[in-house]
Each structure stands twice: as C-alpha cells, then as structure tokens.
Amino acid sequence: AYTWPYGLEPIAGIQPIKYMLDIMKRKSKMQMRYKPFRFKRLSIYDNHNYTSNISNDYRNLINYNLKPVPSPIVLSGFNPKIVKHFKNYFKPLGFNIQVGGASTMNRGRVSNTLNPGDAVGIQIITGDVNAVSIGTVTHKVGNKVLLFGHPMLNRGSVDYPMTRAYVHWVFASRKLSWKLASGTNVVGSVVQDRNPGVYGIIGRKAKKMIPINVSIKDSDGSKTYNYKIVRDPLVFPKFFSLLIGNSLFEKSNKVLSGTFKSVYEIKFRDNSTRKVYTVTLKDFVIGTQTVQIIKRIMALVKPIQFLMYNWYSRIDILSVKAKIDVDNNFRVATIEKLRLLKNEAKPGDIIPLLVKLRPFRGDPVYKIIKVKVPLNFNEGVLTIFVASAKIESLAHQRFFKGYYSPTSIK
C-alpha cells in the first residue's frame, strides 16, 4: 500500500486491516463532495485551469519519503504517442499511466467472483479502448471485497464497474516496480474510494457509463469510434480529452497539423426538472504542431466541466457526440481591404460589406458580408467591429459580460 522509492531492500508499508474494515460501514451514495467551481468568464482562450481542488491530500502525501503506491491506470488500445502527451496531465490525480496489453477475456475459464490475492480492476473507459486501474484484493466477506490498501482517487462514495484483471508480467525497478496487466470481465462495482482502501460489491451493477461517439473525417474518408466513460465529474473531462486526441491520432497516424473543425453535442438531463437539454459546442482550430492541437482539445473540455459543476442543479450527462473534420491545408486568410456598400441604415436594415481576403498561399478572394442592424438601435453612429474569430470572441466577453454569467441551468 505504501512504499519508499529507490530502496535497496524490498520493504513495503502495509495498511492495517482495521482501518480498511471501517470502509464497509459507510453509506454508499455517490455525491459531489467537493467545492464546485466559481463562475468566471468562460473563454477557451484563457490559461485558467477549471479543475476543482480535490487532490491536495494525495499530493501532500507524495511529498514525503513514504508515499502511497500510485494507482496504475492501464491503457489498452491507445496510441502510445497520445499517451506520451497526456501522461503529465493525469499526475495531479495521483494516476500512474501505463500502456498495457489487450483485454484477456478469453484467457482460460472466466470467473465471476474475486478472492483475496486476486488481481482486480476498476474500469474507467471501455469500448474501442480500455482504461482500468489495477490493484489487489485484500479481504473478502461474503460478496463484499476490500481492495488496494490505498485510495484510487480518494473520492469517497463512488459507482465504478469492478473487473477481474490478469497480470502479464511484473517489472522490477529500484524506483518503483510495476505490473503489466489488463482488465477482463466485469464482476461487480466499487462503491467506496477512501484513504485506507477501496470497497466493492461482487454481483452489483454499476450505474450506466456515459456513451461517447467520435467521428473523424479527413481526406482518406471517415471513421467512427465508440467509447464509454464512468459518470464522475472529476474523471470524465480529462479522459474525454484523451479519447478525442487518441481518435485523431488513430485516424491520421501522423503528426497533427492543419485545420480542425469540430462540433460537440452534449445531451444531459436536469435531475430537478427531469428535462433533457442538448448543448452544442463548435470550434475551428489551425495548428502546425501536435502540442498546439492537444492544448486546444483540452481547452474545449472547460465548458463540459463548467456544466458538470454548475451551481444550480445536479445533472446526468446522457451522451456526447463529437464530429471533427480534418483538413491538411491551413484554411486561414488575412483581411486586406474592407468597404461599406451602404453608409446609412435604420433598425432592421442589412448593411453589405465588401471584403478582400488573402488566403494562405492563394489568390485574393472578394466576399460580401451582410450585417443586420439591431432592432433596438437608436439614432446615431453605428460601429461595426471587424476582427479575427479569437479577437471577436474576447471582445464579446468584454462588452457583454452578462452573457457569460449563467443564472440557471437553462
């Protein structure tokens, strides 16, 4: 459960079983224990990280010589290059990301139970890829099992699928030995994630995972990837980013560069009114390096975090669909000239603008852009603001602050 890195002797710290047995006495009802976000201007261009302060206890522990064994999250089916980019992204959660082998569902006779000493997994992602936190069964009472001897995320009451696991090999290391393992069949669910350990129930069904559908279209055609992620507002956004990045890498099989047009549809239910809503997020990204694209992918998760940690009502995300069009060319242009084709207008009129654009490595293009005068506009001088999408977005946030300060879940 605990270890000293770089030790010459194989010494380990053991979690006293009496502390782990206390976990079984707790009520198993998943709820958000942590302080929600405070609303700030919602911008995908700022550098603020909208991550709740949930792992301080764990991070403080690892500053000492004696530290809990980090929970290995074994990724199966992921592109190694995308894992490399995201590895440090998960460190604040206390996860040790590892690339594992394929699922071993057909290895010998499949068992539907767990016993002390068995390898066990906590499933986070399933579908075209898998992500499982691997550990060991410590104690069993009837259909109740105690796992790990240390926390996974220290989340308290949770509801994650619990699987059996198969250890392919143990890699010895002076820094920290680790196992090459993978999850197998689901045998129950985990209901408590506490400091002394994890508590699961064999035969219990976990809450349905969130279905994720990612469709990537490029010059070679289109391909759709299907995943499922556990319902946890801490885990979901980070792993959702990982899945988007992995889908792009798997489809292109090259360094990410060019133009990326994305549309995200998030379907969720307001638990207080039982109404179902769909939120659509759109973005247009141009980049020449994989790191740039990955950063923008992670930035698009902020609105989802904003929604999951809203101040007004508990919600259930029912599904997420992502459509991304990839163009190897850089679809960008410079505004060279601009001319008004109409100098006077009244409320409700259309003002045409003649714009000369210079595309990247292309010939000039002339376009007419139509702007409608607001119906509530009073007499006077009307100013038309012309800028890039990024500058326009920042200006909109500055002049219309109320638009970015929600007052209800609707």
Side-chain angles (χ1 to χ4, degrees), residues 303-344:
I304 301 177
Q305 289 179 303
F306 217 64
L307 179 64
M308 299 181 82
Y309 282 95
N310 78 85
W311 279 59
Y312 307 105
S313 179
R314 293 185 184 277
I315 68 165
D316 275 335
I317 292 185
L318 304 178
S319 65
V320 179
K321 293 182 179 180
K323 295 181 180 179
I324 303 176
D325 290 339
V326 182
D327 191 331
N328 293 330
N329 299 312
F330 298 107
R331 299 297 181 184
V332 61
T334 298
I335 299 174
E336 289 192 342
K337 290 183 181 180
L338 181 72
R339 194 179 85 182
L340 282 172
L341 299 181
K342 187 176 182 180
N343 294 323
E344 294 184 359

Side-chain angles (χ1 to χ4, degrees), residues 61-169:
L61 279 172
I62 64 175
N63 289 330
Y64 299 95
N65 290 329
L66 173 65
K67 67 177 185 179
V69 175
S71 302
I73 299 294
V74 179
L75 306 180
S76 301
F78 283 83
N79 190 300
K81 290 184 179 179
I82 198 67
V83 174
K84 177 183 176 182
H85 284 288
F86 275 86
K87 205 162 187 177
N88 292 332
Y89 187 47
F90 290 93
K91 279 187 177 179
L93 298 181
F95 280 153
N96 178 24
I97 299 295
Q98 301 172 2
V99 178
S103 175
T104 53
M105 287 290 293
N106 298 322
R107 183 178 289 275
R109 193 174 70 176
V110 176
S111 174
N112 292 319
T113 189
L114 290 168
N115 292 299
D118 285 350
V120 64
I122 301 176
Q123 195 168 65
I124 297 173
I125 298 175
T126 187
D128 289 342
V129 297
N130 287 279
V132 183
S133 179
I134 301 294
T136 306
V137 179
T138 304
H139 185 64
K140 182 179 181 181
V141 179
N143 67 333
K144 300 176 181 179
V145 287
L146 293 171
L147 321 172
F148 287 24
H150 57 82
M152 184 181 77
L153 283 172
N154 212 7
R155 288 287 281 159
S157 296
V158 295
D159 196 357
Y160 299 157
M162 180 173 63
T163 74
R164 289 183 60 84
Y166 184 85
V167 178
H168 303 272
W169 193 257

